[in-house]
Structures are given as structure tokens and as C-alpha cells.
Coordinates of all heavy atoms in Angstrom, one line a residue:
M1 N 22.7 -4.4 -18.9 CA 22.7 -3.0 -18.5 C 21.3 -2.4 -19.0 O 20.6 -1.8 -18.2 CB 23.8 -2.2 -19.1 CG 25.1 -2.5 -18.3 SD 25.1 -2.0 -16.6 CE 26.7 -1.0 -16.6
N2 N 21.0 -2.5 -20.3 CA 19.8 -2.0 -20.9 C 18.5 -2.5 -20.3 O 17.6 -1.7 -20.1 CB 19.8 -2.1 -22.4 CG 20.5 -1.0 -23.1 OD1 20.8 0.0 -22.4 ND2 20.8 -1.2 -24.3
S3 N 18.5 -3.8 -20.0 CA 17.3 -4.5 -19.5 C 17.0 -4.0 -18.1 O 15.8 -3.8 -17.7 CB 17.4 -6.0 -19.6 OG 18.4 -6.5 -18.8
K4 N 18.0 -3.7 -17.3 CA 17.9 -3.3 -15.9 C 17.2 -1.9 -16.0 O 16.4 -1.6 -15.1 CB 19.2 -3.2 -15.2 CG 19.0 -3.4 -13.7 CD 20.3 -3.4 -13.0 CE 20.2 -3.4 -11.5 NZ 21.5 -3.5 -10.9
K5 N 17.7 -1.1 -16.9 CA 17.1 0.3 -17.0 C 15.7 0.3 -17.4 O 14.9 1.0 -16.9 CB 17.9 1.1 -18.1 CG 19.1 1.9 -17.4 CD 19.7 2.8 -18.5 CE 20.9 3.5 -18.0 NZ 21.5 4.3 -19.0
A6 N 15.3 -0.6 -18.3 CA 14.0 -0.8 -18.9 C 13.1 -1.2 -17.7 O 11.9 -0.8 -17.6 CB 13.9 -1.7 -20.0
L7 N 13.5 -2.1 -16.9 CA 12.7 -2.7 -15.8 C 12.4 -1.5 -14.8 O 11.4 -1.3 -14.3 CB 13.5 -3.8 -15.1 CG 12.7 -4.5 -14.0 CD1 11.6 -5.3 -14.6 CD2 13.6 -5.5 -13.3
T8 N 13.5 -0.7 -14.5 CA 13.3 0.4 -13.6 C 12.3 1.4 -14.1 O 11.4 1.9 -13.3 CB 14.6 1.2 -13.4 OG1 15.7 0.2 -13.0 CG2 14.6 2.2 -12.2
L9 N 12.3 1.6 -15.4 CA 11.4 2.5 -16.1 C 10.0 1.9 -15.9 O 9.0 2.7 -15.6 CB 11.8 2.8 -17.6 CG 11.0 3.9 -18.3 CD1 11.4 5.2 -17.7 CD2 11.4 3.8 -19.7
L10 N 9.8 0.7 -16.2 CA 8.5 0.0 -16.2 C 7.9 0.1 -14.8 O 6.7 0.4 -14.6 CB 8.7 -1.5 -16.5 CG 7.4 -2.2 -16.8 CD1 6.7 -1.7 -18.0 CD2 7.7 -3.7 -16.9
I11 N 8.7 -0.1 -13.7 CA 8.3 0.0 -12.3 C 7.8 1.4 -12.1 O 6.8 1.7 -11.5 CB 9.3 -0.4 -11.4 CG1 9.5 -1.9 -11.4 CG2 9.0 0.0 -9.9 CD1 10.8 -2.4 -10.7
A12 N 8.6 2.5 -12.5 CA 8.2 3.8 -12.4 C 6.8 4.2 -13.0 O 6.0 4.9 -12.4 CB 9.3 4.7 -13.0
I13 N 6.6 3.6 -14.2 CA 5.3 3.8 -14.9 C 4.2 3.2 -14.2 O 3.1 3.8 -13.9 CB 5.4 3.3 -16.4 CG1 6.4 4.2 -17.2 CG2 4.1 3.2 -17.0 CD1 6.8 3.6 -18.5
C14 N 4.4 2.0 -13.6 CA 3.3 1.4 -12.8 C 3.0 2.2 -11.6 O 1.8 2.3 -11.3 CB 3.8 -0.1 -12.5 SG 3.8 -1.2 -13.8
L15 N 4.0 2.7 -10.9 CA 3.7 3.4 -9.7 C 2.9 4.8 -10.1 O 2.0 5.1 -9.4 CB 5.0 3.9 -9.1 CG 5.7 2.7 -8.3 CD1 7.1 3.2 -7.8 CD2 4.9 2.2 -7.1
L16 N 3.3 5.4 -11.3 CA 2.5 6.6 -11.7 C 1.1 6.2 -12.0 O 0.1 7.0 -11.6 CB 3.2 7.1 -12.9 CG 4.4 8.1 -12.7 CD1 5.0 8.5 -14.0 CD2 3.9 9.4 -12.1
V17 N 0.9 5.1 -12.7 CA -0.6 4.7 -13.0 C -1.4 4.5 -11.7 O -2.5 4.9 -11.7 CB -0.5 3.5 -13.9 CG1 -1.9 2.8 -14.1 CG2 0.1 3.9 -15.3
I18 N -0.8 3.8 -10.8 CA -1.5 3.5 -9.6 C -1.8 4.8 -8.8 O -3.0 5.0 -8.3 CB -0.7 2.6 -8.6 CG1 -0.6 1.2 -9.2 CG2 -1.3 2.5 -7.2 CD1 0.5 0.3 -8.7
A19 N -0.8 5.7 -8.7 CA -1.1 7.0 -8.1 C -2.1 7.8 -8.8 O -3.0 8.4 -8.1 CB 0.2 7.8 -8.0
G20 N -2.2 7.7 -10.1 CA -3.1 8.4 -10.9 C -4.6 7.9 -10.7 O -5.5 8.7 -10.5
C21 N -4.7 6.6 -10.5 CA -6.0 6.0 -10.3 C -6.5 6.4 -8.9 O -7.7 6.7 -8.8 CB -5.9 4.5 -10.3 SG -5.8 3.8 -12.0
Q22 N -5.7 6.4 -7.9 CA -6.1 6.8 -6.5 C -6.6 8.2 -6.5 O -7.6 8.5 -5.9 CB -5.0 6.5 -5.5 CG -4.8 5.1 -5.2 CD -3.5 4.8 -4.4 OE1 -2.6 5.6 -4.4 NE2 -3.5 3.6 -3.8
K23 N -5.9 9.1 -7.3 CA -6.3 10.5 -7.2 C -7.7 10.7 -7.9 O -8.5 11.5 -7.5 CB -5.3 11.3 -8.0 CG -4.1 11.8 -7.1 CD -3.2 12.7 -7.9 CE -1.9 13.0 -7.1 NZ -0.9 13.6 -7.9
K24 N -8.0 9.9 -9.0 CA -9.2 10.1 -9.7 C -10.4 9.6 -8.8 O -11.5 10.3 -9.0 CB -9.2 9.2 -11.0 CG -8.7 10.0 -12.2 CD -8.7 9.1 -13.4 CE -7.7 9.5 -14.4 NZ -7.5 8.5 -15.4
T25 N -10.3 8.6 -8.0 CA -11.4 8.1 -7.3 C -11.8 8.9 -6.1 O -13.0 8.9 -5.7 CB -11.2 6.6 -6.8 OG1 -9.9 6.6 -6.2 CG2 -11.1 5.7 -8.1
E26 N -10.9 9.6 -5.5 CA -11.1 10.4 -4.3 C -12.2 11.5 -4.4 O -13.1 11.5 -3.5 CB -9.9 11.0 -3.8 CG -9.1 10.2 -2.7 CD -7.8 10.8 -2.3 OE1 -7.8 12.0 -2.0 OE2 -6.8 10.0 -2.2
P27 N -12.2 12.4 -5.4 CA -13.1 13.5 -5.3 C -14.6 13.1 -5.7 O -15.5 13.8 -5.4 CB -12.6 14.5 -6.3 CG -11.4 14.0 -6.9 CD -11.3 12.5 -6.5
A28 N -14.8 12.0 -6.3 CA -16.1 11.5 -6.8 C -17.1 11.3 -5.6 O -18.3 11.7 -5.6 CB -16.0 10.3 -7.6
A29 N -16.6 10.8 -4.6 CA -17.5 10.4 -3.4 C -18.1 11.6 -2.7 O -19.4 11.6 -2.6 CB -16.8 9.5 -2.4
P30 N -17.4 12.6 -2.3 CA -18.0 13.7 -1.6 C -19.0 14.5 -2.5 O -20.1 15.0 -2.0 CB -16.8 14.7 -1.2 CG -15.7 13.8 -1.3 CD -16.0 12.8 -2.4
A31 N -18.8 14.6 -3.9 CA -19.7 15.3 -4.7 C -21.1 14.6 -4.8 O -22.1 15.2 -4.8 CB -19.1 15.3 -6.1
A32 N -21.1 13.2 -4.8 CA -22.3 12.4 -4.8 C -23.0 12.7 -3.5 O -24.3 12.8 -3.5 CB -22.0 10.9 -5.0
E33 N -22.4 12.7 -2.4 CA -23.1 13.0 -1.1 C -23.6 14.4 -1.0 O -24.8 14.5 -0.5 CB -22.0 12.9 0.1 CG -21.8 11.5 0.5 CD -20.6 11.4 1.5 OE1 -20.5 12.3 2.4 OE2 -19.9 10.4 1.4
A34 N -23.0 15.4 -1.6 CA -23.6 16.7 -1.6 C -24.9 16.8 -2.5 O -25.8 17.5 -2.1 CB -22.5 17.7 -2.2
N35 N -24.9 16.1 -3.6 CA -26.1 16.1 -4.5 C -27.3 15.4 -3.7 O -28.4 15.9 -3.8 CB -25.8 15.3 -5.8 CG -25.0 16.1 -6.7 OD1 -25.0 17.4 -6.6 ND2 -24.4 15.5 -7.7
A36 N -27.0 14.4 -3.0 CA -28.1 13.7 -2.3 C -28.6 14.5 -1.2 O -29.8 14.6 -1.0 CB -27.5 12.3 -1.6
A37 N -27.8 15.4 -0.6 CA -28.2 16.2 0.6 C -29.1 17.3 0.0 O -30.1 17.7 0.6 CB -27.0 16.9 1.3
V38 N -28.8 17.8 -1.2 CA -29.6 18.9 -1.8 C -31.0 18.4 -2.2 O -31.9 19.0 -1.9 CB -28.9 19.5 -3.1 CG1 -29.8 20.3 -3.9 CG2 -27.6 20.3 -2.6
S39 N -31.1 17.2 -2.8 CA -32.3 16.7 -3.3 C -33.2 16.3 -2.1 O -34.5 16.4 -2.1 CB -32.2 15.5 -4.2 OG -31.5 14.5 -3.6
A40 N -32.7 15.9 -1.0 CA -33.3 15.6 0.2 C -33.9 16.8 0.9 O -35.1 16.8 1.5 CB -32.5 14.8 1.2
A41 N -33.2 17.9 0.8 CA -33.6 19.1 1.5 C -34.9 19.8 0.9 O -35.6 20.4 1.5 CB -32.5 20.1 1.5
V42 N -35.0 19.7 -0.5 CA -36.1 20.4 -1.2 C -37.3 19.5 -1.3 O -38.4 19.9 -1.7 CB -35.7 20.8 -2.6 CG1 -34.6 21.9 -2.5 CG2 -35.2 19.6 -3.5
E43 N -37.3 18.2 -0.8 CA -38.5 17.3 -0.9 C -39.5 17.6 0.3 O -39.1 17.3 1.4 CB -38.1 15.9 -1.0 CG -39.1 15.0 -1.4 CD -38.7 13.5 -1.4 OE1 -37.4 13.3 -1.6 OE2 -39.5 12.6 -1.3
Q44 N -40.6 18.0 -0.1 CA -41.7 18.2 1.0 C -42.5 16.9 1.2 O -43.1 16.4 0.3 CB -42.6 19.4 0.6 CG -43.5 19.8 1.7 CD -44.7 20.5 1.2 OE1 -44.6 21.2 0.2 NE2 -45.8 20.5 1.9
T45 N -42.6 16.5 2.4 CA -43.4 15.3 2.7 C -44.5 15.5 3.6 O -45.5 14.8 3.7 CB -42.5 14.1 3.3 OG1 -41.8 14.6 4.5 CG2 -41.4 13.6 2.2
M46 N -44.4 16.6 4.4 CA -45.4 16.9 5.4 C -46.2 18.2 5.1 O -45.7 19.1 4.5 CB -44.7 17.1 6.8 CG -43.9 16.0 7.2 SD -44.8 14.4 7.5 CE -45.3 14.6 9.2
C47 N -47.5 18.2 5.4 CA -48.3 19.4 5.2 C -47.9 20.4 6.3 O -47.7 20.1 7.4 CB -49.8 19.0 5.5 SG -50.9 20.4 5.6
P48 N -47.6 21.7 5.8 CA -47.2 22.7 6.8 C -48.2 23.2 7.7 O -47.9 23.8 8.7 CB -46.6 23.9 5.8 CG -47.5 23.7 4.5 CD -47.8 22.2 4.5
V49 N -49.5 23.0 7.4 CA -50.5 23.5 8.3 C -50.9 22.5 9.4 O -50.8 22.8 10.6 CB -51.8 23.8 7.4 CG1 -52.9 24.4 8.3 CG2 -51.4 24.8 6.4
M50 N -51.3 21.3 9.0 CA -51.6 20.3 10.0 C -50.6 19.2 10.3 O -50.6 18.5 11.3 CB -52.8 19.5 9.5 CG -54.2 20.3 9.7 SD -55.6 19.2 9.1 CE -56.9 20.3 9.4
G51 N -49.5 19.2 9.4 CA -48.4 18.2 9.7 C -48.7 16.8 9.2 O -48.1 15.9 9.5
G52 N -49.9 16.7 8.3 CA -50.2 15.4 7.8 C -49.4 15.1 6.6 O -48.7 15.8 6.1
V53 N -49.6 13.8 6.1 CA -48.9 13.4 4.8 C -49.5 14.1 3.7 O -50.8 14.2 3.6 CB -49.0 11.9 4.7 CG1 -48.4 11.5 3.3 CG2 -48.4 11.1 5.8
I54 N -48.7 14.7 2.8 CA -49.2 15.5 1.7 C -49.9 14.7 0.6 O -49.6 13.6 0.4 CB -48.1 16.3 1.0 CG1 -46.9 15.4 0.6 CG2 -47.7 17.5 2.0 CD1 -46.0 16.1 -0.4
N55 N -50.9 15.4 0.0 CA -51.5 14.9 -1.2 C -51.0 15.7 -2.4 O -51.1 16.9 -2.5 CB -53.1 15.1 -1.1 CG -53.9 14.7 -2.4 OD1 -53.3 14.3 -3.4 ND2 -55.2 14.6 -2.1
K56 N -50.3 14.9 -3.4 CA -49.6 15.6 -4.5 C -50.6 16.4 -5.4 O -50.2 17.1 -6.3 CB -48.8 14.6 -5.2 CG -47.6 14.1 -4.4 CD -46.3 14.9 -4.7 CE -45.2 14.4 -3.9 NZ -43.9 15.1 -4.1
D57 N -51.9 16.0 -5.3 CA -52.9 16.8 -6.1 C -53.3 18.1 -5.5 O -54.0 19.0 -6.2 CB -54.1 15.9 -6.4 CG -53.8 14.6 -7.1 OD1 -53.0 14.7 -8.0 OD2 -54.4 13.5 -6.8
L58 N -53.0 18.3 -4.2 CA -53.4 19.6 -3.6 C -52.2 20.4 -3.4 O -51.3 20.2 -2.5 CB -54.0 19.2 -2.2 CG -55.5 18.7 -2.2 CD1 -55.8 18.2 -0.9 CD2 -56.5 19.8 -2.7
F59 N -52.0 21.5 -4.2 CA -50.8 22.3 -4.0 C -51.1 23.7 -4.5 O -52.1 23.9 -5.3 CB -49.6 21.8 -4.7 CG -49.7 21.7 -6.2 CD1 -49.3 22.8 -7.0 CD2 -50.2 20.5 -6.8 CE1 -49.4 22.7 -8.3 CE2 -50.3 20.5 -8.2 CZ -49.9 21.6 -9.0
V60 N -50.4 24.7 -4.0 CA -50.4 26.1 -4.6 C -49.0 26.5 -5.0 O -48.0 25.9 -4.4 CB -50.9 27.1 -3.6 CG1 -52.4 26.9 -3.4 CG2 -50.2 27.1 -2.3
E61 N -48.8 27.3 -5.9 CA -47.5 27.8 -6.2 C -47.3 29.1 -5.4 O -48.0 30.1 -5.6 CB -47.3 28.1 -7.7 CG -47.0 26.9 -8.5 CD -46.2 27.1 -9.7 OE1 -45.5 28.1 -9.9 OE2 -46.1 26.1 -10.6
Y62 N -46.2 29.1 -4.7 CA -45.9 30.4 -3.8 C -44.4 30.6 -4.0 O -43.6 29.8 -3.8 CB -46.1 30.0 -2.3 CG -45.9 31.3 -1.4 CD1 -46.9 32.3 -1.5 CD2 -44.9 31.3 -0.6 CE1 -46.6 33.4 -0.7 CE2 -44.6 32.4 0.2 CZ -45.5 33.5 0.1 OH -45.3 34.6 0.9
Q63 N -44.1 31.9 -4.5 CA -42.8 32.4 -4.8 C -42.1 31.4 -5.8 O -40.9 31.1 -5.7 CB -41.9 32.5 -3.6 CG -42.5 33.7 -2.7 CD -41.7 33.9 -1.4 OE1 -40.8 33.0 -1.1 NE2 -42.1 34.9 -0.7
G64 N -42.9 30.9 -6.7 CA -42.4 30.0 -7.8 C -42.1 28.6 -7.4 O -41.5 27.8 -8.1
K65 N -42.5 28.3 -6.2 CA -42.3 26.9 -5.7 C -43.6 26.2 -5.3 O -44.5 26.9 -4.8 CB -41.4 26.9 -4.5 CG -40.0 27.1 -4.8 CD -39.0 27.5 -3.7 CE -37.7 27.8 -4.1 NZ -36.8 28.3 -3.0
K66 N -43.7 25.0 -5.6 CA -45.0 24.2 -5.3 C -45.0 23.9 -3.7 O -44.0 23.4 -3.2 CB -45.1 23.0 -6.1 CG -45.6 23.3 -7.5 CD -45.7 22.1 -8.4 CE -46.2 22.4 -9.7 NZ -46.1 21.3 -10.7
V67 N -46.2 24.1 -3.2 CA -46.3 23.8 -1.7 C -47.6 22.8 -1.7 O -48.5 23.2 -2.2 CB -46.6 25.1 -0.8 CG1 -46.9 24.7 0.6 CG2 -45.5 26.1 -1.0
Y68 N -47.3 21.6 -1.1 CA -48.3 20.6 -1.1 C -49.0 20.5 0.3 O -48.4 20.9 1.3 CB -47.6 19.2 -1.4 CG -47.1 19.1 -2.7 CD1 -45.7 19.4 -2.9 CD2 -47.9 18.8 -3.8 CE1 -45.2 19.3 -4.2 CE2 -47.3 18.6 -5.1 CZ -46.0 18.9 -5.3 OH -45.4 18.8 -6.5
F69 N -50.2 20.1 0.3 CA -51.1 20.0 1.5 C -51.7 18.7 1.7 O -51.8 17.9 0.7 CB -52.2 21.1 1.5 CG -51.6 22.4 1.2 CD1 -51.6 23.1 0.0 CD2 -51.0 23.2 2.3 CE1 -51.0 24.3 -0.3 CE2 -50.5 24.5 2.0 CZ -50.4 25.0 0.8
C70 N -52.2 18.4 2.9 CA -52.9 17.1 3.1 C -54.4 17.1 2.7 O -55.0 16.1 2.5 CB -52.7 16.6 4.6 SG -53.4 17.8 5.9
C71 N -55.0 18.4 2.8 CA -56.4 18.5 2.5 C -56.7 20.0 2.0 O -55.9 20.9 2.2 CB -57.3 18.1 3.6 SG -57.1 19.2 5.1
G72 N -57.9 20.2 1.5 CA -58.3 21.5 1.0 C -58.4 22.5 2.0 O -58.1 23.7 1.7
Q73 N -58.7 22.1 3.2 CA -58.8 23.0 4.4 C -57.4 23.8 4.6 O -57.2 24.9 4.9 CB -59.2 22.4 5.6 CG -59.0 23.0 7.0 CD -60.2 23.9 7.3 OE1 -61.4 23.6 7.2 NE2 -59.9 25.2 7.6
C74 N -56.4 22.9 4.6 CA -55.0 23.4 4.8 C -54.6 24.4 3.7 O -53.9 25.3 3.9 CB -54.0 22.3 5.0 SG -54.3 21.3 6.5
K75 N -54.9 24.0 2.5 CA -54.6 24.8 1.3 C -55.2 26.3 1.5 O -54.5 27.2 1.3 CB -55.1 24.2 0.0 CG -54.6 24.8 -1.2 CD -55.3 24.2 -2.4 CE -55.1 25.0 -3.7 NZ -56.1 24.7 -4.7
G76 N -56.5 26.3 2.0 CA -57.1 27.5 2.2 C -56.4 28.3 3.3 O -56.2 29.6 3.2
D77 N -56.1 27.7 4.4 CA -55.3 28.3 5.5 C -54.0 28.9 5.1 O -53.6 29.9 5.5 CB -55.1 27.3 6.7 CG -56.4 27.0 7.4 OD1 -57.4 27.7 7.1 OD2 -56.4 26.2 8.3
F78 N -53.3 28.1 4.3 CA -52.0 28.6 3.8 C -52.1 29.9 2.9 O -51.4 30.9 3.1 CB -51.3 27.5 3.0 CG -50.0 28.0 2.4 CD1 -48.8 27.8 3.2 CD2 -49.8 28.5 1.2 CE1 -47.6 28.2 2.7 CE2 -48.6 28.9 0.6 CZ -47.4 28.7 1.4
E79 N -53.1 29.9 2.1 CA -53.4 31.0 1.1 C -53.8 32.3 1.9 O -53.4 33.3 1.5 CB -54.4 30.7 0.1 CG -53.9 29.8 -1.0 CD -54.9 29.2 -1.9 OE1 -56.0 28.9 -1.5 OE2 -54.6 29.1 -3.1
K80 N -54.4 32.1 3.1 CA -54.7 33.3 3.9 C -53.5 33.9 4.5 O -53.4 35.2 4.7 CB -55.7 32.8 5.0 CG -57.1 32.8 4.6 CD -58.0 32.4 5.8 CE -59.1 31.4 5.3 NZ -59.6 30.6 6.6
D81 N -52.5 33.1 4.9 CA -51.4 33.6 5.6 C -50.1 32.8 5.3 O -49.7 32.0 6.2 CB -51.6 33.6 7.1 CG -50.6 34.5 7.9 OD1 -49.7 35.1 7.2 OD2 -50.7 34.5 9.1
P82 N -49.6 32.8 4.1 CA -48.5 31.9 3.7 C -47.2 32.1 4.5 O -46.6 31.1 4.9 CB -48.1 32.3 2.3 CG -49.3 33.2 1.8 CD -50.0 33.7 3.0
E83 N -46.9 33.3 5.0 CA -45.6 33.6 5.8 C -45.6 32.8 7.1 O -44.5 32.5 7.6 CB -45.6 35.1 6.0 CG -45.3 36.0 4.8 CD -44.0 35.7 4.2 OE1 -43.0 35.5 4.8 OE2 -43.9 35.8 2.9
K84 N -46.7 32.5 7.6 CA -46.9 31.7 8.9 C -46.4 30.3 8.7 O -46.0 29.7 9.7 CB -48.4 31.8 9.3 CG -48.7 31.3 10.7 CD -50.2 31.5 11.0 CE -50.6 30.6 12.1 NZ -52.1 30.7 12.3
Y85 N -46.5 29.8 7.5 CA -46.2 28.4 7.3 C -44.9 28.1 6.5 O -44.4 27.0 6.6 CB -47.4 27.7 6.5 CG -48.7 27.9 7.2 CD1 -49.7 28.8 6.7 CD2 -48.9 27.2 8.5 CE1 -50.9 28.9 7.4 CE2 -50.1 27.4 9.1 CZ -51.1 28.2 8.6 OH -52.3 28.3 9.3
I86 N -44.4 29.1 5.8 CA -43.1 28.7 5.0 C -42.0 28.3 5.8 O -41.0 27.7 5.3 CB -42.8 29.9 4.0 CG1 -42.5 31.2 4.7 CG2 -43.8 30.0 2.9 CD1 -41.8 32.2 3.8
A87 N -41.9 28.7 7.1 CA -40.8 28.3 8.0 C -40.6 26.8 8.1 O -39.6 26.2 8.3 CB -40.8 28.9 9.3
K88 N -41.8 26.1 8.0 CA -41.9 24.7 8.1 C -41.6 23.9 6.8 O -41.6 22.7 6.7 CB -43.3 24.3 8.6 CG -43.7 24.8 10.0 CD -45.1 24.4 10.3 CE -45.5 25.1 11.6 NZ -47.0 24.8 12.0
L89 N -41.4 24.7 5.8 CA -41.3 24.0 4.4 C -39.8 23.9 4.0 O -39.1 24.9 4.0 CB -42.0 24.8 3.4 CG -43.6 24.7 3.5 CD1 -44.2 25.8 2.7 CD2 -44.1 23.4 3.0
P90 N -39.3 22.8 3.7 CA -37.9 22.5 3.3 C -37.5 23.2 2.1 O -36.3 23.7 1.9 CB -37.7 21.1 3.2 CG -39.1 20.5 3.0 CD -40.0 21.5 3.7
Q91 N -38.4 23.4 1.1 CA -38.1 24.1 -0.2 C -37.9 25.6 0.0 O -37.4 26.3 -0.9 CB -39.1 23.9 -1.3 CG -40.6 24.3 -1.0 CD -41.4 23.2 -0.3 OE1 -41.0 22.7 0.7 NE2 -42.5 22.9 -0.9
F92 N -38.2 26.2 1.2 CA -38.0 27.6 1.4 C -36.8 27.9 2.3 O -36.5 29.0 2.7 CB -39.2 28.3 2.0 CG -40.3 28.5 0.9 CD1 -41.4 27.5 0.9 CD2 -40.2 29.4 0.0 CE1 -42.4 27.7 -0.1 CE2 -41.3 29.5 -1.0 CZ -42.3 28.7 -1.1
K93 N -36.1 26.8 2.8 CA -34.9 26.9 3.6 C -33.7 27.1 2.8 O -33.5 26.3 1.8 CB -34.7 25.7 4.5 CG -35.7 25.8 5.7 CD -35.7 24.6 6.6 CE -36.8 24.6 7.6 NZ -37.0 23.3 8.2
N94 N -32.8 28.1 3.1 CA -31.6 28.4 2.3 C -30.4 27.8 3.1 O -30.3 27.8 4.2 CB -31.4 29.8 2.0 CG -32.5 30.3 1.2 OD1 -32.9 29.7 0.1 ND2 -33.1 31.5 1.5
Ligands
LIG101 ZN1 -54.9 19.3 5.9

């Protein structure tokens, strides 16, 4: 009688542990995807003026964020009229 009760209890504990493990693994995946999307959105790879590949040594700080350019000419054009180019920059998109 007692051993049958103990076996039933053991099965119940096993089921609880399995259910607990499944609950823990579920929310981790969507959180990791959200973080990846945020870091991808703020990374600038293209010059907003000419559309060329950016040079990380050529940048200006605008509204507290770094804006990179492909050449000095583009940097000058941006500084003359920044509002014209910020629409093309991922770091200014909300
Ligand atoms: Zn350029």
C-alpha cells in the first residue's frame, strides 16, 4: 500500500519538473530575437549623402549620435543641412 502511494507521488513530482522546465525555456527565445532587432536597427552601414560604404574615421555628432560618411565631401554636405539626411539614418528612426 505504502510503496504504491510513493510511486504515485514520484510520478507526480516528475511531471511537475518536466512542466517547469518547459515553462522556463519558452520566454528566452523571443527576448533574444528582440535584442538582435534593436542592435541591427541602430547600425549605420551606408553614407546618408552619397549612399557609399561608410568610413568609420569620418563622422560628426548630431543630436548626441554619431553619423558616419564615405568621404569628407559628404560630411560637409551633411553639416550644411542635416535634416535633409537624417531620414536615411537608422539611428534616428524610432
Ligand atoms: Zn561621400
Side-chain angles (χ1 to χ4, degrees):
M1 282 298 228
N2 270 348
S3 66
K4 201 176 179 182
K5 267 188 185 176
L7 187 67
T8 308
L9 191 66
L10 191 69
I11 290 165
I13 289 166
C14 285
L15 288 173
L16 272 174
V17 168
I18 292 163
C21 285
Q22 283 170 342
K23 272 182 190 172
K24 270 181 202 168
T25 53
E26 264 179 49
E33 274 174 36
N35 282 342
V38 167
S39 62
V42 294
E43 196 181 334
Q44 186 199 336
T45 54
M46 307 294 275
C47 172
V49 182
M50 281 185 182
V53 178
I54 53 162
N55 179 348
K56 291 266 180 181
D57 294 325
L58 285 169
F59 66 88
V60 290
E61 276 209 21
Y62 185 70
Q63 292 179 355
K65 286 166 183 171
K66 280 179 180 172
V67 179
Y68 297 94
F69 305 96
C70 60
C71 63
Q73 167 84 51
C74 292
K75 191 184 165 198
D77 284 355
F78 179 87
E79 283 172 322
K80 276 182 226 162
D81 194 4
E83 292 294 327
K84 191 175 160 186
Y85 302 109
I86 57 167
K88 294 177 186 176
L89 292 164
Q91 62 267 55
F92 290 100
K93 281 176 189 164
N94 292 317

